[in-house]
Amino acid sequence: MPGTRVTMVTVSCRWSVPMAMSITHRGTGVALSGVFSPGISVFAVAALVLPGSFPHYLDLIHSLSFGPALITLSKFALSFPVAYHTFNGIRHLVWDAGKGLKIPEVYGSGYTVIALTLLTSLALTAL
Amino acid sequence: MAALCVCSARQGAAALRSSSGLLALRYVQTAAAAAPAVQPRIKKFQIYRWDPDTPGDKPRMQTYEVDLNACGPMVLDALIKIKNEMDSTLTFRRSCREGICGSCAMNINGGNTLACLNKIDTNISKVSKIYPLPHMYVVKDLVPAYRWMIDSRDDYTEERLSKLQDPFSLYRCHTIMNCTRTCPKGLNPGKAIAEIKKMMATYKEKKAATA
């Protein structure tokens, strides 16, 4: 109605596992893309272009004398986004096919993605 | 209690001789025994308030206390009780009170639901927080302002789908699934939108084939 005064309210929607997983998918996606740090593309081009071999670069990293804690942390920080975004990406593709969109299925597939992510990233970190 | 029985025995002496009279006497005994024991269960409701007609009024939260023993089970029952007995200025929409009309849609404890279908959380130590629907203009207290929406019922499927062929309408859905999770009627809009996206992928091919 013309002349009616209105206002706006902000209420935080209560957090849920599916909501948190959705924003994490976006976060890991941005992190991997290379917007804020060297991403998958830079790594791929570097692997193609840089002259040295893999053992050469492995020795280079060893010579930098990072502590074991930092090495492990870095390995986890790299493997976690790759694993999470890959498994949740498959979950998204299943949704695009129209399957698994009932709420119990969304939660079930969500917990499965979390479990697979942790197993995979911990396994890759332990290599 | 024994005195009570004797009194009613004297007054209803003729009736007591029948079996129904004895039943009535027993009922009076048990009712009197049950009466003093019940503690009031006081639940706090923190409700968003704003009145545009009061000059200088700012949006604020107001807390009301309701005895759940004297209130129906749904949040709408509590709102009506508050309006009737405590604060008649509390403003909200309601109509069917059975989850069909959608008038009492509001944000209760962080989730969007219908107040008439949302059971009051009987945990007395928690406060129930009631807000109007987020991302909507608020006319007063819990009343949202609905904007006029185009009714697409008179369009045909292809025209409707072609209207969605832009990066904004349909493809703003990122399958977050909050919609299905919050629906108080158990509908699945997330799945419906996924099916529309699938239709968008195939209808264009049909159109190209017929062209």
Side-chain angles (χ1 to χ4, degrees), chain B residues 178-199:
Chain B
N178 272 345
C179 52
T180 303
R181 192 175 167 272
T182 209
C183 178
K185 298 295 291 177
L187 305 173
N188 196 331
K191 168 131 178 99
I193 293 172
E195 293 298 330
I196 298 175
K197 286 178 184 169
K198 281 164 70 180
M199 278 196 267

Short mmCIF file of all heavy atoms in Angstrom, two decimals, chain B residues 178-199:
data_model
loop_
_atom_site.label_atom_id
_atom_site.label_comp_id
_atom_site.label_asym_id
_atom_site.label_seq_id
_atom_site.Cartn_x
_atom_site.Cartn_y
_atom_site.Cartn_z
N ASN B 178 18.12 -25.55 1.67
CA ASN B 178 17.48 -24.95 2.85
C ASN B 178 15.97 -24.93 2.68
O ASN B 178 15.22 -25.02 3.64
CB ASN B 178 17.97 -23.52 3.07
CG ASN B 178 19.22 -23.48 3.92
OD1 ASN B 178 19.55 -24.46 4.57
ND2 ASN B 178 19.89 -22.36 3.91
N CYS B 179 15.53 -24.78 1.41
CA CYS B 179 14.10 -24.65 1.12
C CYS B 179 13.34 -25.90 1.56
O CYS B 179 12.37 -25.81 2.31
CB CYS B 179 13.90 -24.40 -0.37
SG CYS B 179 14.73 -25.58 -1.47
N THR B 180 13.81 -27.05 1.11
CA THR B 180 13.14 -28.30 1.46
C THR B 180 13.25 -28.58 2.95
O THR B 180 12.31 -29.06 3.59
CB THR B 180 13.75 -29.46 0.67
OG1 THR B 180 13.64 -29.17 -0.71
CG2 THR B 180 13.07 -30.78 0.97
N ARG B 181 14.41 -28.24 3.53
CA ARG B 181 14.63 -28.51 4.93
C ARG B 181 13.66 -27.72 5.80
O ARG B 181 13.21 -28.19 6.83
CB ARG B 181 16.07 -28.16 5.30
CG ARG B 181 16.48 -28.67 6.64
CD ARG B 181 17.95 -28.41 6.90
NE ARG B 181 18.22 -28.63 8.30
CZ ARG B 181 18.08 -27.71 9.23
NH1 ARG B 181 17.75 -26.48 8.89
NH2 ARG B 181 18.32 -27.98 10.50
N THR B 182 13.31 -26.47 5.38
CA THR B 182 12.48 -25.62 6.24
C THR B 182 10.99 -25.74 5.95
O THR B 182 10.19 -25.27 6.76
CB THR B 182 12.93 -24.15 6.14
OG1 THR B 182 12.65 -23.49 7.37
CG2 THR B 182 12.23 -23.41 5.03
N CYS B 183 10.61 -26.37 4.82
CA CYS B 183 9.20 -26.36 4.44
C CYS B 183 8.34 -27.01 5.51
O CYS B 183 8.52 -28.19 5.83
CB CYS B 183 8.99 -27.09 3.11
SG CYS B 183 7.25 -27.14 2.63
N PRO B 184 7.35 -26.27 6.07
CA PRO B 184 6.54 -26.84 7.14
C PRO B 184 5.47 -27.80 6.62
O PRO B 184 4.79 -28.44 7.40
CB PRO B 184 5.89 -25.60 7.78
CG PRO B 184 5.85 -24.60 6.70
CD PRO B 184 7.02 -24.85 5.81
N LYS B 185 5.30 -27.91 5.29
CA LYS B 185 4.29 -28.79 4.73
C LYS B 185 4.91 -30.05 4.12
O LYS B 185 4.24 -30.80 3.45
CB LYS B 185 3.48 -28.05 3.66
CG LYS B 185 2.73 -26.86 4.19
CD LYS B 185 1.65 -27.27 5.18
CE LYS B 185 0.54 -28.01 4.47
NZ LYS B 185 -0.49 -28.48 5.41
N GLY B 186 6.25 -30.23 4.28
CA GLY B 186 6.89 -31.42 3.74
C GLY B 186 7.01 -31.43 2.23
O GLY B 186 7.16 -32.48 1.62
N LEU B 187 6.97 -30.26 1.59
CA LEU B 187 7.15 -30.20 0.14
C LEU B 187 8.64 -30.21 -0.19
O LEU B 187 9.47 -30.02 0.69
CB LEU B 187 6.50 -28.92 -0.42
CG LEU B 187 5.04 -28.73 -0.07
CD1 LEU B 187 4.56 -27.37 -0.52
CD2 LEU B 187 4.21 -29.82 -0.71
N ASN B 188 8.98 -30.44 -1.46
CA ASN B 188 10.38 -30.50 -1.85
C ASN B 188 10.63 -29.57 -3.04
O ASN B 188 10.73 -30.02 -4.19
CB ASN B 188 10.77 -31.94 -2.20
CG ASN B 188 12.28 -32.12 -2.23
OD1 ASN B 188 13.02 -31.19 -2.53
ND2 ASN B 188 12.74 -33.32 -1.93
N PRO B 189 10.73 -28.26 -2.78
CA PRO B 189 10.99 -27.34 -3.89
C PRO B 189 12.37 -27.54 -4.50
O PRO B 189 12.56 -27.34 -5.69
CB PRO B 189 10.88 -25.95 -3.25
CG PRO B 189 10.94 -26.16 -1.79
CD PRO B 189 10.52 -27.55 -1.52
N GLY B 190 13.35 -27.97 -3.69
CA GLY B 190 14.70 -28.22 -4.21
C GLY B 190 14.67 -29.25 -5.32
O GLY B 190 15.30 -29.08 -6.38
N LYS B 191 13.94 -30.34 -5.12
CA LYS B 191 13.83 -31.39 -6.14
C LYS B 191 13.10 -30.85 -7.36
O LYS B 191 13.48 -31.12 -8.49
CB LYS B 191 13.12 -32.60 -5.57
CG LYS B 191 12.71 -33.62 -6.62
CD LYS B 191 13.13 -35.03 -6.24
CE LYS B 191 12.65 -36.00 -7.30
NZ LYS B 191 13.69 -36.36 -8.25
N ALA B 192 12.04 -30.07 -7.12
CA ALA B 192 11.26 -29.53 -8.24
C ALA B 192 12.14 -28.65 -9.13
O ALA B 192 12.08 -28.73 -10.36
CB ALA B 192 10.07 -28.73 -7.70
N ILE B 193 12.98 -27.83 -8.50
CA ILE B 193 13.86 -26.95 -9.28
C ILE B 193 14.89 -27.78 -10.04
O ILE B 193 15.23 -27.47 -11.20
CB ILE B 193 14.52 -25.90 -8.36
CG1 ILE B 193 13.46 -24.95 -7.82
CG2 ILE B 193 15.61 -25.14 -9.10
CD1 ILE B 193 13.95 -24.00 -6.77
N ALA B 194 15.40 -28.85 -9.41
CA ALA B 194 16.35 -29.72 -10.10
C ALA B 194 15.69 -30.33 -11.34
O ALA B 194 16.32 -30.45 -12.41
CB ALA B 194 16.84 -30.81 -9.16
N GLU B 195 14.42 -30.71 -11.23
CA GLU B 195 13.70 -31.27 -12.38
C GLU B 195 13.51 -30.22 -13.47
O GLU B 195 13.60 -30.52 -14.66
CB GLU B 195 12.34 -31.82 -11.93
CG GLU B 195 12.44 -33.04 -11.03
CD GLU B 195 13.11 -34.23 -11.68
OE1 GLU B 195 13.03 -34.38 -12.92
OE2 GLU B 195 13.74 -35.03 -10.96
N ILE B 196 13.25 -28.96 -13.06
CA ILE B 196 13.12 -27.89 -14.06
C ILE B 196 14.45 -27.71 -14.79
O ILE B 196 14.48 -27.54 -16.02
CB ILE B 196 12.69 -26.55 -13.41
CG1 ILE B 196 11.32 -26.69 -12.75
CG2 ILE B 196 12.66 -25.44 -14.47
CD1 ILE B 196 10.89 -25.46 -11.99
N LYS B 197 15.56 -27.76 -14.06
CA LYS B 197 16.87 -27.62 -14.70
C LYS B 197 17.07 -28.74 -15.73
O LYS B 197 17.60 -28.50 -16.82
CB LYS B 197 17.98 -27.69 -13.66
CG LYS B 197 18.12 -26.44 -12.81
CD LYS B 197 19.24 -26.62 -11.78
CE LYS B 197 19.33 -25.45 -10.84
NZ LYS B 197 20.22 -25.74 -9.69
N LYS B 198 16.63 -29.95 -15.40
CA LYS B 198 16.74 -31.06 -16.36
C LYS B 198 15.88 -30.79 -17.59
O LYS B 198 16.29 -31.05 -18.72
CB LYS B 198 16.31 -32.37 -15.70
CG LYS B 198 17.39 -32.97 -14.80
CD LYS B 198 16.85 -34.03 -13.86
CE LYS B 198 16.44 -35.30 -14.58
NZ LYS B 198 15.92 -36.31 -13.63
N MET B 199 14.68 -30.24 -17.37
CA MET B 199 13.80 -29.90 -18.49
C MET B 199 14.44 -28.85 -19.38
O MET B 199 14.32 -28.89 -20.60
CB MET B 199 12.46 -29.37 -17.97
CG MET B 199 11.49 -30.44 -17.57
SD MET B 199 9.84 -29.75 -17.42
CE MET B 199 9.80 -29.35 -15.69
#
